[in-house]
Amino acid sequence: MSLPLESFIPVKRTLMGPGPSDVNPKILNALARTTIGHLDPMFVSLMDEVKQLLQYAFQTKNELTMPISAPGSAGMEAAFANLIEPGDKVIVCQNGVFGGRMFENVVRCQGIPVLIKDKWGEQTDPEKLRDALIANPDTRIVAFVHAETSTGVRNDAELLCSIAKQHGCLTIVDAVTSLAGCELRVDDWNIDAIYSGTQKCLSCVPGLSPVSFSDAAVEKIKQRKQSVQSWFLDMDLVMGYWGKGTKRAYHHTAPVNSIYALHESLIILAQEGLEKAWQRHYENHCLLRDGLESLGLEFAVDESYRLPQLNMVNIPVGIDDAEIRSRLLNEFNLEIGAGLGELAGKVWRIGLMGYGSNKENIAYCLDSFSKVLNR
């Protein structure tokens, strides 16, 4: 067997799918900086800055705020594995693929799941949550997705958290696609555990999962009767490394260069300003919306709860989903997303995330779509 001996040089794509998004060149440059030890005092100082910048991005003062050294799915597991003990009742709101993954995590943590289902493409109904909490007064946790990546729907996180708190519940929120792309206020909305990913609106490389836990969540972890089932994701252990002070307990070898990249992405976010970033995503969504509608394409999600950073449009009758996406990729080096689950073959998901949310990408996307559809 002959081995490949040439370096891999990827073709430059324009990434306008559900993630990863286009990475800012400044962030790519940060990856190439000299690697130092993960316990080097210089790196420890950088960790403190990353934590402070993540607190700004999440809009929280939570002490337990950090990036987990693995993608967003690990952030999800960290939230569920640390907060759920066997027998804990958890209400899970599902209106897409990722609510289903939350349900699966509850089951694997040996919790008792109560599932609230809403139609894909629509918001979670707050009245269903109220009814479920009344019917299940022993519920400990409410879990839901803020920005459902599979459908382009923004759930009302502030309202859902308020309802959960009225019934004395902790909340777990998926913010993989919402962080830095639309309004998100962890402290003001009383979110107890939240996780995200670096490859969406932060425009960083994939592989890290920013998380944040409230004081109430930390207390729940400390009061556990059983150890967290995952050693790697045990927040008590991880915080020995990401905690305060210059002396850190060795837990794992952090992906040093990826942390450089995350730090750079958070600096870029802070320089722009969080609320300005939210506004930019919305304004660019409006430009894309107008252009797509002028081509005869229709949005699948109501405008009042549509995600500006992930646009879901209906595929016109008679159009071959796979063929159009293949032409866009192979002829224009433009990536868009297919529908997932019950929406497969019915919708396209067009991302406008982070660095990729710009007028040049919008113009290129509309021109490319116009050419392949007219053909």
Side-chain angles (χ1 to χ4, degrees):
M1 180 182 70
S2 62
L3 294 173
L5 299 176
E6 294 185 3
S7 299
F8 173 68
I9 308 295
V11 172
K12 188 179 185 328
R13 309 282 200 195
T14 298
L15 301 179
M16 296 186 69
S21 62
D22 287 341
V23 179
N24 191 313
K26 291 182 179 180
I27 297 170
L28 292 176
N29 288 336
L31 281 168
R33 294 170 188 161
T34 300
T35 303
I36 58 177
H38 63 287
L39 294 173
D40 187 304
M42 290 177 63
F43 187 67
V44 170
S45 178
L46 180 72
M47 292 166 69
D48 287 339
E49 290 189 11
V50 168
K51 177 178 176 179
Q52 184 180 1
L53 289 163
L54 278 176
Q55 288 172 324
Y56 169 70
F58 276 126
Q59 290 291 282
T60 184
K61 295 179 181 177
N62 289 342
E63 183 63 29
L64 184 43
T65 302
M66 49 167 277
I68 287 178
S69 300
S73 295
M76 172 176 62
E77 287 209 22
F80 284 87
N82 280 272
L83 289 181
I84 297 175
E85 290 193 86
D88 282 350
K89 184 172 284 188
V90 182
I91 291 178
V92 177
C93 306
Q94 182 188 12
N95 58 341
V97 166
F98 295 96
R101 292 189 182 182
M102 286 183 149
F103 179 86
E104 179 67 19
N105 270 266
V106 176
V107 172
R108 290 178 181 239
C109 292
Q110 300 179 47
I112 302 172
V114 176
L115 187 62
I116 296 174
K117 298 187 75 171
D118 280 284
K119 184 178 178 181
W120 289 31
E122 295 182 1
Q123 279 187 313
T124 290
D125 184 347
E127 295 306 317
K128 288 184 179 180
L129 176 58
R130 286 193 177 95
D131 291 343
L133 285 165
I134 291 171
N136 297 274
D138 55 340
T139 299
R140 304 293 301 278
I141 296 169
V142 171
F144 63 89
V145 179
H146 181 210
E148 180 51 78
T149 315
S150 65
T151 63
V153 167
R154 175 187 54 79
N155 284 315
D156 191 337
E158 183 177 15
L159 177 57
L160 296 176
C161 286
S162 174
I163 295 169
K165 288 301 175 184
Q166 290 168 17
H167 292 264
C169 295
L170 296 175
T171 55
I172 299 176
V173 177
D174 178 324
V176 170
T177 299
S178 58
L179 182 64
C182 60
E183 186 177 11
L184 173 62
R185 302 182 186 276
V186 168
D187 286 357
D188 289 349
W189 297 354
N190 288 311
I191 296 172
D192 290 299
I194 191 165
Y195 56 89
S196 187
T198 49
Q199 77 278 17
K200 306 279 188 172
C201 295
L202 289 176
S203 284
C204 191
V205 292
L208 294 172
S209 179
V211 299
S212 186
F213 292 80
S214 71
D215 289 344
V218 171
E219 186 61 27
K220 174 77 161 66
I221 296 170
K222 288 181 177 179
Q223 297 300 321
R224 289 180 64 96
K225 298 179 180 64
Q226 299 183 25
S227 298
V228 175
Q229 65 190 39
S230 168
W231 179 89
F232 181 68
L233 298 175
D234 186 330
M235 288 296 102
D236 270 341
L237 298 177
V238 175
M239 274 305 290
Y241 179 46
W242 275 93
K244 290 182 177 180
T246 56
K247 187 173 178 57
R248 307 293 172 103
Y250 169 69
H251 179 261
H252 68 280
T253 301
V256 172
N257 290 63
S258 292
I259 300 293
Y260 295 167
L262 174 58
H263 180 268
E264 190 69 26
S265 74
L266 292 169
I267 288 289
I268 292 169
L269 176 65
Q271 288 173 341
E272 179 180 13
L274 189 58
E275 294 189 359
K276 288 183 178 179
W278 297 340
Q279 184 64 24
R280 172 171 55 84
H281 281 84
Y282 175 71
E283 290 175 356
N284 285 333
H285 155 73
C286 292
L287 286 174
L288 180 66
R289 175 201 63 199
D290 294 346
L292 291 173
E293 289 179 346
S294 72
L295 295 176
L297 296 173
E298 297 178 349
F299 277 73
V301 176
D302 187 276
E303 191 163 6
S304 63
Y305 49 83
R306 187 183 298 166
L307 285 174
Q309 63 270 48
L310 189 60
N311 301 267
M312 189 169 77
V313 297
N314 293 317
I315 298 173
V317 176
I319 296 294
D320 187 309
D321 166 32
E323 180 183 357
I324 294 297
R325 286 187 292 104
S326 177
R327 284 184 176 179
L328 289 171
L329 188 66
N330 295 318
E331 298 175 23
F332 297 92
N333 286 310
L334 174 63
E335 179 182 277
I336 65 167
L340 295 179
E342 63 187 59
L343 296 176
K346 299 178 181 178
V347 299
W348 290 314
R349 292 178 299 152
I350 305 173
L352 275 178
M353 299 184 190
Y355 178 71
S357 180
N358 61 65
K359 293 178 175 59
E360 291 76 15
N361 275 9
I362 294 169
Y364 188 64
C365 177
L366 294 173
D367 181 61
S368 302
F369 255 107
S370 176
K371 289 174 179 174
V372 297
L373 290 176
N374 286 337
R375 220 177 287 171

